[in-house]
Each structure stands twice: as structure tokens, then as C-alpha cells.
Amino acid sequence: MNSFAELSPVDGAKLDLVVPTSLQELPAMVERAKQAQRAWAGLAVAERARAFSNVRDHVMDRGEELASLIHREVGKPEAEALLGEVLATGDVLSFWIEHIEEHLEDLELEIDPISYPSKRGRIIREPRGVLGVIMPWNFPLALPFRTLVPALLAGNAVIFKPSEISPRTGALVVELFRGLPEGVLQLLQGGGEHGAALCSSGVDLVVFTGSVATGRKVAHACAERLIPCSLELGGKDAAIVLADANLDRAAHGIVWGALMNAGQNCGAVERVYVERKVADAFTQKVVEIAKELRPGIDVGPLTTKAQCEIVRDHVEDAKAQGAEVLLGGNSAVGGYEYPVTIARVERDDVRLIADETFGPVLPILVVETAEEAVARANASRYGLTASIWTKNYTLAKKLGAQIRAGVVTINNHSFTGALANAPWTGVGESGYGVTNSIHALEAYTRPKLYLEDRNSQKRELWWFPYTPHLKTIALSFLVLRSGTKSVFVKMGAVFRLLGAFLKRWKT
Ligand code: NAD
């Protein structure tokens, strides 16, 4: 789909016209990026960081304008856009500008001087080259930045394709980087066809954040070209509430974790497993808190009508299969609006519990034990983040180790996506990409080994010819490295080794 969203989900007002990039321009864009990247990577890391120094000011100075655009384009409340997108982006910039140099430092290679005399090696982190960065619409500022900043600072050039649902914020993202050398960051405006073309355009790595279905297509396209891809995909996060939890905090935290961004968050709480002993009290608190949320101020509309339909389908399907709706769940509403919905659900095999809903719906399921909660939380094809709510940190640590997810938080949920130094990653169908932290650099750079040999001998031990003495040396090493041979046997091996060494050097 290449058609851009044209109407604001807030009030249906027409949004500015967006012109797609002609796909005929793509080969020239890639060529321009390749040339720009060579010069960019040739700069010292500190020089690249200096070229970024104004970007943070641009983001802060235009923060209100950015939040207002995000609000109009995707419907997110302005307070949420200011906190979760603008300020979080400032933190991402500060972190990487301060730490990129140390994170890209060469590593000294440890080499055994007896086996490999007079050698020194360094492991250098080299940029991948030209990256295709394809992004979704649900955090149209913060998500691109958390990839673009480290990827560019590491010396890559980027062709960035924002979502067709948030192309105006996407254009502003690129504008905020003005001051970077020409060609280092380019904008590709379009939808799925443009994303697919970018994967096959000759880029060296694709960094993709989006749905599982599209992620699969991206992985296929990259496999065809034998280029790596980083995939950050969907989620179906579980929150586990144990009987000893601070129920007020758990209820407030889980309502926020589920309904922030109208639930359109890959790390949204989409299932709560609560121990029976506190299930009623917890559920009552959740309903009371959720009832007070103000449409448009606390919880915005959904970003697309299509998303609204998915949410409606999930809730109707769960209702038909016995779910009890405690708040909201009104199927009559239309357009971009879906009411905040709380439901009691029994089964894990309904779509509301098995598939990503991506809407303002919080299903609550009762469990008998913490172990049952973990087993049911893990029985999902997704595994992005999960939270456990308890005062027993010893038990939390044990359960946390058993949870199949990339991020586990105790007494909080999913806010760590805003921490630039914390890895954000998943397992299973949530994808294997890593965003944020030093670990993200493993995708944006490749290790290169540089080795200097200052050995002036005419031959290494292991070079030709393969004489009987060489075989004796190898056999002696086997004995010396064995854990089962006696001291006497090893002493014998030492003598044979020394004799063979001397003879080897004479030949
Ligand atoms: P989507 O998969 O529909 O689109 C994502 C991007 O892929 C868009 O830019 C789109 O134009 C592009 N695209 C579409 N077809 C393509 C193709 N064949 N090849 C290449 N690119 C193509 O996802 P969406 O609806 O924009 O985003 C919502 C999804 O993103 C949810 O599943 C959500 O969980 C996920 N998400 C994950 C994370 C994470 O960090 N794991 C973060 C945010 C969102």
C-alpha cells in the first residue's frame, strides 16, 4: 500500500499533502549514500559526534511543534508525545553523543605468545555501510531516532522510510538532522512497495520495526540478497500480579502499561495473569482507574480505522467465547474511536489473548499460582516484554529467569524502551533485533580483525613442510593439554616436545 494517511484521527481534518518518492530515484539515492558514507566513515568518531551537536537543540527547540504534529498525525495525546517522544529523543541523543566513542573503541586481541609469537591484533568496529531503516507509525519520532542516532554516529549512511501513516513526522525527523553531510541521511516517502524496494536496493543492512507479517517479508527479501536484517516486531506482553503485590501500584501501572498510546505499543500489557486471592480486588481497582480516563486527553483515538476494526474483532470474538466485559467494549462506536475496555477472560486460545490487539483493551485472567502464570505467559508466540508485580524480589528473580521475553520488569512495565543504555529486544515472533544500548551496535557495525605480525623467523611452526618432528610436537601438546594424563607422562611429553622443537628449527 502506497497511499498516505490523509486525515487526522483526532478530528478528521485534512493533513498536509505528502508526495511519494519516485522509485526510479532509489538507485541514485543508494549510490549517493554509498559515496557519502565513505567520507562520513572516514571522519573520526568525535568529529561525527560534533556534527550531531545541533540535532539535540533542534529537537528541544521544536519540541512543542513536534508533539503537536504527532498528535494530529497519529492521535497521541500531546503530553504523551512530549514525554515519550520528544524528551526521550533528547535523552537518546545525549547518551549516544557522550558514549559513542568509548562504545566503538578497538579491542585488543589476546594472543598466546608461545603458540603465536610476536603478533598483535585489534578488533575494530566498522560501519556496515548503507542502511535501509523502515519504521512503523506508533512512535513516529522516538523509534526512528533510537536507530538513526547510533547507526549514523557509527559511520553508516541511512535511507529512512517512515510509515505511510506518519510521513509528515518522518519528514521532520530528517529535517532535524540538517547539518549532516549531503547524502548521509535520505528520506524515502512511500508505503509497502517502497519498503520492499528498499530491501532489494543494494543496501548493506535493513533495520526494520513493524508487524510480524511484514517482518517475515523483509527477512525473506534480505535472505535473497544475503544481507543481514534487524527485526523488532509485535508483542503480546503479559503482566503477572502476585497475591502479595502492592495492588494500588499494580493497578495504576498496568492500566498505564496497557492504555498508553491507546494500547498501540509493541510493549503494551495485553494480558494480565492475577492470582485468585487478589483477583477481585485488583480488577475492581483497574476498572475504577480506567473509568476515570478522559478520551482524547489521557487516551487518544486509534491511529487508523483498520486498527479499530482489529480491536473490535478481538473483543467481539472474546465476548462470543465467554469473556465478561467490565468496562467499555461497545461495538457500536465507529471511526477511529474505541472505548477503554476491561474484560475478564478465561481462555488463552481466544484472539484477544493469542494475537496482538494493539488497542485500548485490558484482558484479565485468573490463575491459581505464580508458576501457572509464568507458564501461560510463556505460551505465546511473542516474547517482547513482561512484568511481575510483587514485593517478593527473591521470587521475582526466580520467575523472571523463567520468563520467555527480551525485557522483564518488576513492579513496572515497558518504560525501559526510553532508556538509551538498556537493550530493547524480544524472542520468538517479537523478532531478534536489539535496539538501544551498546548491544545495538553489534547490528549497525561489523567486527574487523587487524593483525600485525612482527615475527622475523623465516617460517611459522605450522607452515610447510609437515615433518615427523612437527607431528611429535602436535602429539606432545595433546598430552600436555589432557586433563587425564599423569605428571610423569606429561614430563615425558615435555622432553619429546623440546627435542622435536630443536630438530624442527634446524630443518
Ligand atoms: P507494518 O508492518 O504494517 O509496517 C511497518 C513498516 O513496514 C511501514 O513503514 C511499512 O510501509 C513498511 N512495509 C510494508 N510492507 C513492506 C514490505 N513488503 N517490505 C518492507 N517494508 C514494508 O507495521 P505498522 O502497522 O506500521 O506497525 C505496528 C507494528 O509494529 C505492531 O505489530 C507493533 O507491535 C510493531 N512494533 C514493534 C516495535 C518493537 O520495538 N518491537 C516497536 C514499535 C512497533
Side-chain angles (χ1 to χ4, degrees):
M1 182 180 89
N2 267 349
S3 48
F4 297 106
E6 290 174 349
L7 304 179
S8 169
V10 177
D11 53 9
K14 241 184 163 2
L15 295 166
D16 290 348
L17 192 73
V18 183
V19 180
T21 311
S22 161
L23 280 178
Q24 285 173 351
E25 281 179 37
L26 187 54
M29 286 172 74
V30 175
E31 198 41 51
R32 206 162 36 245
K34 282 192 171 151
Q35 283 181 20
Q37 192 268 333
R38 271 179 229 124
W40 179 239
L43 296 178
V45 186
E47 283 180 79
R48 290 200 294 268
R50 253 194 305 283
F52 265 67
S53 53
N54 289 334
V55 182
R56 194 171 175 281
D57 288 338
H58 295 157
V59 174
M60 293 301 112
D61 294 348
R62 296 180 71 176
E64 261 191 276
E65 177 196 347
L66 281 162
S68 161
L69 174 59
I70 293 168
H71 171 62
R72 275 182 286 121
E73 198 171 41
V74 299
K76 187 175 298 217
E78 283 191 47
E80 216 171 83
L82 282 167
L83 289 164
E85 303 253 17
V86 179
L87 286 168
T89 295
D91 290 348
V92 161
L93 280 155
S94 302
F95 171 80
W96 283 111
I97 290 170
E98 194 182 334
H99 293 287
I100 190 70
E101 223 174 333
E102 68 190 81
H103 284 347
L104 287 178
E105 262 173 19
D106 296 355
L107 280 179
E108 199 74 40
L109 182 75
E110 280 184 28
I111 306 178
D112 170 13
I114 296 175
S115 302
Y116 304 103
S118 308
K119 292 163 189 39
R120 275 171 42 188
R122 280 186 302 133
I123 303 163
I124 300 161
R125 302 247 35 134
E126 276 202 336
R128 293 255 171 208
V130 178
L131 273 48
V133 173
I134 303 174
M135 287 286 144
W137 46 263
N138 62 331
F139 287 86
L141 181 78
L143 286 185
F145 261 87
R146 65 187 203 173
T147 290
L148 293 178
V149 174
L152 290 166
L153 281 172
N156 297 287
V158 171
I159 298 179
F160 163 50
K161 196 204 86 61
S163 166
E164 59 275 36
I165 311 292
S166 54
R168 299 155 193 90
T169 311
L172 201 42
V173 165
V174 173
E175 205 184 307
L176 292 166
F177 282 97
R178 71 182 181 279
L180 294 193
E182 173 78 25
V184 165
L185 174 62
Q186 298 175 69
L187 178 68
L188 181 71
Q189 285 285 28
E193 198 188 330
H194 283 67
L198 184 56
C199 295
S200 307
S201 64
V203 294
D204 301 293
L205 164 75
V206 174
V207 181
F208 173 83
T209 303
S211 64
V212 174
T214 313
R216 265 204 185 92
K217 291 184 197 164
V218 169
H220 274 289
C222 292
E224 276 301 321
R225 302 191 74 87
L226 288 178
I227 56 166
C229 62
S230 162
L231 302 177
E232 290 273 15
L233 309 177
K236 190 76 197 173
D237 282 12
I240 294 174
V241 181
L242 300 185
D244 74 332
N246 173 341
L247 286 193
D248 282 321
R249 181 175 174 83
H252 279 282
I254 288 171
V255 166
W256 178 81
L259 304 177
M260 186 264 281
N261 204 16
Q264 300 167 117
N265 177 8
C266 53
V269 177
E270 294 216 359
R271 306 173 281 158
V272 184
Y273 293 102
V274 55
E275 278 195 286
R276 185 174 298 282
K277 216 165 137 192
V278 292
D280 286 343
F282 170 76
T283 307
Q284 197 183 338
K285 284 179 192 292
V286 164
V287 172
E288 273 163 20
I289 296 163
K291 234 188 322 203
E292 298 302 318
L293 298 176
R294 299 153 300 171
I297 298 172
D298 298 312
V299 181
L302 291 178
T303 302
T304 67
K305 290 182 180 172
Q307 195 50 48
C308 211
E309 284 307 313
I310 295 171
V311 176
R312 194 188 328 277
D313 283 354
H314 281 199
V315 174
E316 291 309 307
D317 173 62
K319 271 158 73 176
Q321 305 205 50
E324 183 192 354
V325 172
L326 307 171
L327 183 72
N330 181 357
S331 63
V333 290
Y336 297 93
E337 305 290 338
Y338 195 86
V340 164
T341 297
I342 313 292
R344 277 246 203 185
V345 183
E346 300 225 329
R347 295 163 44 178
D348 287 337
D349 60 354
V350 294
R351 292 176 64 202
L352 187 63
I353 304 301
D355 297 343
E356 186 178 45
T357 304
F358 226 51
V361 183
L362 181 55
I364 301 174
L365 302 100
V366 179
V367 291
E368 302 305 327
T369 61
E371 288 70 28
E372 181 193 342
V374 170
R376 289 173 71 174
N378 284 349
S380 167
R381 57 182 196 278
Y382 298 100
L384 196 54
T385 104
S387 57
I388 304 171
W389 302 75
T390 177
K391 294 191 196 104
N392 185 342
Y393 294 97
T394 310
L395 177 63
K397 199 169 174 191
K398 186 175 142 217
L399 298 176
Q402 294 165 9
I403 294 247
R404 188 179 157 275
V407 177
V408 178
T409 46
I410 310 305
N411 299 325
N412 216 316
H413 196 93
S414 94
F415 76 98
T416 61
L419 304 181
N421 59 347
W424 178 267
T425 183
V427 297
E429 291 194 11
S430 290
Y432 43 74
V434 180
T435 311
N436 287 340
S437 83
I438 186 171
H439 302 286
L441 292 177
E442 281 158 30
Y444 312 146
T445 60
R446 69 169 83 78
K448 180 186 211 172
L449 179 66
Y450 172 81
L451 185 132
E452 277 175 11
D453 197 331
R454 301 189 177 210
N455 189 348
S456 56
Q457 299 293 331
K458 71 175 177 191
R459 268 194 341 233
E460 293 285 3
L461 181 71
W462 62 89
W463 290 359
F464 296 129
Y466 294 158
T467 59
H469 307 305
L470 182 60
K471 190 173 171 191
T472 306
I473 290 168
L475 288 171
S476 307
F477 271 123
L478 279 188
V479 173
L480 289 173
R481 289 178 186 181
S482 157
T484 59
K485 302 287 189 254
S486 71
V487 176
F488 294 113
V489 174
K490 289 198 175 189
M491 277 173 63
V494 170
F495 286 120
R496 284 196 298 284
L497 183 66
L498 290 175
F501 256 126
L502 288 174
K503 286 174 186 143
R504 171 77 176 162
W505 288 127
K506 282 194 197 138
T507 52

